[in-house]
Amino acid sequence: MKPWSCVLFDLDGTIADSAPGITASLGYMLEKMGRPVPTLQELRKWVGPPILDSFRDFAGMNPAESQQALAIYREHYLSSGNGHSPIFDGIPLVLRRLHEEGMPVALATSKPEFPASVILDHGNITQYFRVISGSSIDEVKSTKQAVVTEALDRFRILGVDLSNPIMIGDRYYDIEGAAANGVPTIFVRWGYGNPQEEVGAISVVNEPTELLPLLL
């Protein structure tokens, strides 16, 4: 098979263990709005999809309620330190090796670019990314398809070879969003997805270091 020409990584559940911080801020937001707070296991389903979609699909919020919820959630998330999500063991090694081999790497996340950058900075891995593509600040442009498209467009501007890109992610949203851009996905099992979400991935890995022989 032709070698991969560039790599796109999801963030939540793929690079960073961000679920504890996200679910804590979601619980705070729901309580503040006088809504029932689901169990931690149920809240983990909210991690990965665009957050406005989760507000709609899992809490039945209308657009106005979703914007109010977003403001409460974001203020708590950014002020409480929840954005300092730990990086999964092995990910820095993978990113460093890709960088050393000259492989262009992009972040393609449904999280807005500022909090995404905070996580990368806190984990001291920002230097490995040529491109950081996230949702718009109002979360309206937040589908995985949209952020993957944007990452590829930014790669193109930099002159990166787009002949054979690959996506790395932990949810079926990653697989579908990448496929909409003609990009295959390697599914990671240390994230927040379940086995049913692996359908459509070209490969599945259990540990970060298993990515290296597949990507290089």
Side-chain angles (χ1 to χ4, degrees):
M1 184 172 61
K2 181 180 178 181
W4 303 116
S5 62
C6 57
V7 184
L8 290 75
F9 278 88
D10 170 54
L11 178 62
D12 297 329
T14 300
I15 289 176
D17 188 11
S18 50
I22 292 173
T23 54
S25 292
L26 287 171
Y28 173 85
M29 174 273 294
L30 290 167
E31 186 174 352
K32 193 80 171 177
M33 294 184 69
R35 289 173 171 264
V37 179
T39 65
L40 181 59
Q41 189 62 34
E42 291 172 327
L43 281 176
R44 283 171 69 93
K45 298 177 183 177
W46 299 44
V47 183
I51 197 165
L52 294 180
D53 289 359
S54 291
F55 291 167
R56 179 195 65 213
D57 297 339
F58 300 128
M61 294 184 185
N62 61 38
E65 292 169 331
S66 293
Q67 288 302 318
Q68 180 187 4
L70 179 62
I72 297 171
Y73 166 84
R74 182 173 290 163
E75 190 281 329
H76 185 268
Y77 184 82
L78 294 176
S79 65
S80 64
N82 287 340
H84 295 168
S85 304
I87 306 301
F88 287 111
D89 291 342
I91 288 294
L93 170 63
V94 170
L95 293 172
R96 184 169 67 250
R97 284 288 309 280
L98 293 175
H99 181 73
E100 291 170 350
E101 295 294 328
M103 177 71 76
V105 175
L107 187 73
T109 175
S110 293
K111 190 186 293 299
E113 291 174 17
F114 173 71
S117 297
V118 169
I119 292 175
L120 299 185
D121 287 346
H122 190 257
N124 193 29
I125 56 175
T126 305
Q127 65 271 24
Y128 301 129
F129 292 85
R130 299 277 306 274
V131 162
I132 296 175
S133 173
S135 73
S136 58
I137 194 64
D138 60 4
E139 304 267 3
V140 172
K141 187 209 77 175
S142 58
T143 65
K144 186 60 65 164
Q145 178 179 349
V147 297
V148 169
T149 299
E150 181 67 20
L152 294 173
D153 286 345
R154 294 182 188 181
F155 263 160
R156 187 176 293 108
I157 291 171
L158 295 175
V160 170
D161 179 4
L162 297 180
S163 62
N164 204 27
I166 183 73
M167 178 78 193
I168 314 297
D170 71 312
R171 302 294 308 272
Y172 72 90
Y173 304 97
D174 300 312
I175 298 173
E176 292 181 344
N181 286 276
V183 178
T185 297
I186 296 174
F187 190 92
V188 306
R189 285 179 170 163
W190 57 83
Y192 309 134
N194 58 61
Q196 289 72 37
E197 296 184 55
E198 300 173 5
V199 176
I202 63 165
S203 189
V204 177
V205 294
N206 295 292
E207 300 290 340
T209 52
E210 293 178 13
L211 288 168
L212 288 173
L214 296 176
L215 297 177
L216 298 175

